[in-house]
Amino acid sequence: MTANLISLLVLLPVGLAAILTMTGQRLPNLSRGLDIAGVAVLLAVSAGLLLTGAGDTPQVIELGSWAAPFGIVWVFDRLSGLMLLLTATVALLALVYAIRRDEDQAGPHFHALFQAQLFGLNGAFLTGDLFNLFVFFEVLLLASYGLLLHGNGRKRTRAGFHYVVVNLIGSTLFLFAVGALYGTVGSLNLADITLKLPEVAPDAVPLVTTAIFLLFTVFLIKGAAFPLYLWLPGAYAHASIPVAALFAIMTKVGLYSVLRVDSVMLSGNTIGGIMETTALIAPWLLWLGLITLLLAALGVVAARFVRRQVAYLIIASVGTILIALGLVTGQSGEAAISGALYYWMHTTVLSAGFFLLAGLILRHRPEAGDGIESAPPMPHAILVGSLFFAYAIAMAGLPPLTGFFGKIMILAAALDSPLMAPVFAVILASGLIMVIALARAGSRLFYQAQATPGHPAHATPADARVAMPGLGTATLPLVLAGAMVVGAQPLSGWLADTAAQVATPGGYLDAVMPNGVLDPASAPGKFGAENDGGHH
Amino acid sequence: MTNLALSLLIGVLTGAGVYLVLRAQTFPVVLGLTLMSYGVNLFLFTMGRLQTAAPAVVGAVEHPTDPLPQALVLTAIVIAFAMTAFVIVLALKARAALGNDHVDGIHIPQADRVLDRNEEPRA
């Protein structure tokens, strides 16, 4: 039953995408209803699976009952469950906003692409083998290309071209990495690679490490880390608002892959008995995270549009999470992961909401859009301004909202790291820079409202009655953030258990490869050497 | 000998692809992406070790070719084909929308300046 529900998370979106391709714009209300219902089911199923504790021990689904490493496996554990829940949450917000503001009617097949996007995302979060990860990446990217170009616009086309080319280059690198790993290790299943890495022939070790670094380069392209983030601000700032909000989960796919592959595939001790795996990637992540965070903070200052600011805030959160993932080799590695996951939940939901709020500002300031410049006051200025204030506080990491708690957890994990000083300095300084930038933006947008003949400087009662569809979807993320603060105690306990599950991948390996290693006699593997399953 | 030829071919295809991708016009970029995908497909294919006269069917002969890379290559070819088609359409759309084929759309000939000024409102 559980296996069926987990499969549903992937199969439902792809089925709906096929149906929605046919209903399309001819039956707009049916398309909307199906799309909403599909996302609601995904949300309910992923939440239900997490609440019933289905992920407490990793659940393995063997497609076609072919056991790993020969078949394709999907693995559901707490980490993938959390990602699926976040995806469904963000998708529901974006979809309701799109429908309330009719943005889904700007081009054909919005709903089909939306479900195809969810299919790719959910598949990427569940898959347990590298080539499937590649395929699901392609699925989610192809859907995202379509969504990004949804509706027209010259800037959108230009930014979309950059986005597509960068990702196609990333896909090519991904295939090189996968090919090199298969050629040397002889497997593509994450757990199987873990067991085989110590057995790699010594002369193949440089090739294997090259492939691993190439793999993480690809993940960091998707995750938008320095120096590979330059495609993101343009693409996100020019996408239509609900699409940009949905894309809040896209960088997290890259980060999820970093965390998953690092914690499972590199959890063996050595590569070929020569190279230590544990400290292979983490130090790079730490430094890249520091640079990413600092540059993103400067980007928030330099941005002249709210949407671009939010795009840079997303990059800043990528930097923060990378710093936390870089701390996993320290003594407080589990604390670092659970801090990263808390911050992860916070930033995914809130940056999506911030995009929706930017969309409201954009639509209701006809003179200036979301440009950070003074313009006649917008309707509901006090309400929208308060929301902007709350988002700014949360995203910059000031108390009492979630960004603050996430950063505290990460900083606490950094206390016994040798790199404590730079981590503290960069996280705190970038927070300050972002506060200044957001304060400046907020005061321009909401205080320096100029009066023009038609628009007096102070909102009239008539303005207050202007309907503002989508306001609820921009408010809901803050409610969720409030719930994350109120429920911080049980939530952080749950996240600590999740982090423990991630940090000790023995359960994952046992679930996927119950026999430890495949029988050398039955397999034409390139490295049929015995393995005593010494990964525990 | 075959190994050397194949390695050189992969290297040349990928190198030429990288060079073309670094050009600042959409058509060379698309061409470069295509060459790179050819290079990587060949690379995937050789990762199963080169053998001649060995079918990719386990049990048919004593030393069959590894079937997995062939499956991978097949998938990669299909995906690369779809992506190439998509990126060509996108490049054409960009050419039509931006009035030139520069990847940044910034090399605007004199005649198109007016069009640029009448840019859509930030939407």
Side-chain angles (χ1 to χ4, degrees):
Chain A
M1 185 57 201
T2 315
N4 289 341
L5 281 177
I6 295 168
S7 309
L8 186 72
L9 291 168
V10 181
L11 300 180
L12 179 70
V14 72
L16 272 181
I19 295 169
L20 287 167
T21 314
M22 290 180 273
T23 58
Q25 278 187 316
R26 272 173 297 171
L27 300 165
N29 287 330
L30 178 66
S31 303
R32 286 176 164 185
L34 281 176
D35 200 359
I36 284 269
V39 175
V41 169
L42 293 186
L43 185 64
V45 169
S46 50
L49 285 171
L50 283 182
L51 287 175
T52 54
D56 291 353
T57 51
Q59 305 267 331
V60 178
I61 296 158
E62 293 166 342
L63 300 189
S65 294
W66 283 79
F70 299 112
I72 293 168
V73 291
W74 290 343
V75 186
F76 181 91
D77 62 358
R78 286 179 159 203
L79 180 61
S80 33
L82 181 62
M83 294 303 123
L84 293 167
L85 181 65
L86 281 177
T87 308
T89 311
V90 168
L92 194 61
L93 288 171
L95 189 58
V96 171
Y97 180 94
I99 290 174
R100 293 282 285 143
R101 299 218 68 111
D102 281 337
E103 296 214 13
D104 57 333
Q105 302 300 321
H109 300 310
F110 175 85
H111 295 290
L113 286 168
F114 201 86
Q115 288 292 335
Q117 175 85 76
L118 295 178
F119 166 58
L121 286 164
N122 287 359
F125 289 137
L126 281 175
T127 186
D129 102 49
L130 281 177
F131 195 77
N132 261 274
L133 189 62
F134 166 77
V135 173
F136 278 118
F137 266 20
E138 292 307 303
V139 170
L140 74 88
L141 286 173
L142 195 47
S144 78
Y145 303 154
L147 283 175
L148 182 63
L149 296 164
H150 171 74
N152 266 317
R154 304 174 61 224
K155 288 182 173 176
R156 194 170 290 171
T157 306
R158 188 176 70 194
F161 189 79
H162 291 183
Y163 175 76
V164 172
V165 169
V166 167
N167 277 304
L168 287 182
I169 294 171
S171 306
T172 310
L173 293 181
F174 201 163
L175 278 180
F176 271 119
V178 164
L181 266 179
Y182 182 75
T184 47
V185 184
S187 182
L188 289 171
N189 183 294
L190 281 181
D192 194 32
I193 293 177
T194 313
L195 300 177
K196 284 181 175 168
L197 270 184
E199 315 292 333
V200 170
D203 60 343
V205 169
L207 192 54
V208 174
T209 46
T210 310
I212 289 172
F213 273 101
L214 208 50
L215 201 58
F216 278 90
T217 308
V218 176
F219 296 157
L220 291 180
I221 292 178
K222 316 282 181 205
F226 171 84
L228 305 166
Y229 68 83
L230 295 170
W231 56 269
L232 188 142
Y236 281 36
H238 295 302
S240 72
I241 291 295
V243 172
L246 178 65
F247 281 8
I249 195 75
M250 295 274 284
T251 52
K252 309 302 181 296
V253 183
L255 293 175
Y256 167 82
S257 308
V258 167
L259 179 57
R260 176 66 83 197
V261 175
D262 193 21
S263 72
V264 173
M265 199 178 92
L266 298 182
S267 63
N269 295 322
T270 55
I271 299 173
I274 298 170
M275 189 162 292
E276 296 285 332
T277 52
T278 43
L280 197 61
I281 296 296
W284 293 90
L285 296 182
L286 183 57
W287 284 107
L288 290 176
L290 289 173
I291 303 172
T292 309
L293 179 54
L294 208 53
L295 289 179
L298 296 178
V300 178
V301 176
R304 282 165 37 228
F305 299 92
V306 177
R307 282 178 295 171
R308 198 170 270 269
Q309 269 193 330
V310 184
Y312 275 108
L313 286 171
I314 288 182
I315 301 178
S317 68
V318 168
T320 312
I321 293 171
L322 281 180
I323 292 172
L325 297 186
L327 292 168
V328 294
T329 47
Q331 291 166 343
S332 44
E334 285 183 22
I337 296 179
S338 81
L341 290 179
Y342 188 89
Y343 190 80
W344 194 312
M345 294 173 70
H346 140 81
T347 184
T348 310
V349 175
L350 283 186
S351 45
F354 209 164
F355 263 123
L356 300 181
L357 185 72
L360 295 181
I361 296 173
L362 171 74
R363 293 284 172 228
H364 292 274
R365 294 202 330 158
E367 292 83 2
D370 65 337
I372 300 171
E373 55 194 82
S374 52
M378 59 182 294
H380 302 287
I382 296 172
L383 184 55
V384 176
S386 312
L387 287 178
F388 186 91
F389 181 66
Y391 274 113
I393 284 181
M395 293 298 282
L398 291 183
L401 280 172
T402 39
F404 175 72
F405 285 98
K407 282 190 179 174
I408 288 288
M409 288 167 84
I410 292 171
L411 288 178
L415 274 176
D416 52 8
S417 158
L419 289 169
M420 186 188 101
V423 170
F424 267 68
V426 169
I427 288 187
L428 296 177
S430 64
L432 178 66
I433 296 172
M434 287 189 281
V435 168
I436 294 170
L438 289 167
R440 196 200 58 172
S443 58
R444 279 275 168 78
L445 287 169
F446 299 106
Y447 287 170
Q448 297 180 6
Q450 12 155 278
T452 53
H455 295 79
H458 295 285
T460 58
D463 285 333
R465 268 185 263 118
V466 174
M468 194 178 262
L471 194 59
T473 52
T475 317
L476 191 61
L478 285 171
V479 177
L480 293 177
M484 275 179 71
V485 172
V486 174
Q489 173 71 27
L491 180 62
S492 62
W494 189 85
L495 286 177
D497 292 347
T498 309
Q501 195 186 43
V502 175
T504 47
Y508 185 102
L509 297 178
D510 279 340
V512 179
M513 303 278 294
N515 302 323
V517 71
L518 61 149
D519 182 12
S522 71
K526 295 175 180 64
F527 299 92
E530 246 80 24
N531 187 310
D532 57 6
H535 54 274
H536 297 293
Chain B
M1 196 56 212
T2 324
N3 284 345
L4 182 67
L6 260 179
S7 319
L8 279 175
L9 189 57
I10 294 169
V12 168
L13 278 173
T14 314
V18 169
Y19 173 78
L20 285 173
V21 163
L22 295 176
R23 309 288 295 170
Q25 283 172 311
T26 49
F27 182 66
V29 168
V30 174
L31 216 54
L33 288 170
T34 315
L35 288 185
M36 275 164 72
S37 75
Y38 289 158
V40 78
N41 286 342
L42 271 178
F43 177 76
L44 277 182
F45 186 70
T46 55
M47 276 301 116
R49 303 293 185 271
L50 291 175
Q51 293 189 63
T52 46
V57 181
V58 178
V61 290
E62 197 180 341
H63 293 292
T65 302
D66 191 342
L68 192 72
Q70 315 221 351
L72 301 189
V73 160
L74 191 59
T75 316
I77 287 174
V78 173
I79 290 176
F81 185 69
M83 293 295 175
T84 307
F86 179 80
V87 80
I88 287 174
V89 172
L90 183 58
L92 286 172
K93 184 178 155 68
R95 171 71 181 77
L98 300 169
N100 66 82
D101 67 344
H102 191 276
V103 287
D104 275 334
I106 50 169
H107 280 244
I108 300 164
Q110 203 68 33
D112 289 344
R113 287 257 163 85
V114 183
L115 193 119
D116 187 50
R117 212 170 291 138
N118 294 340
E119 195 155 14
E120 48 154 11
R122 305 173 196 95

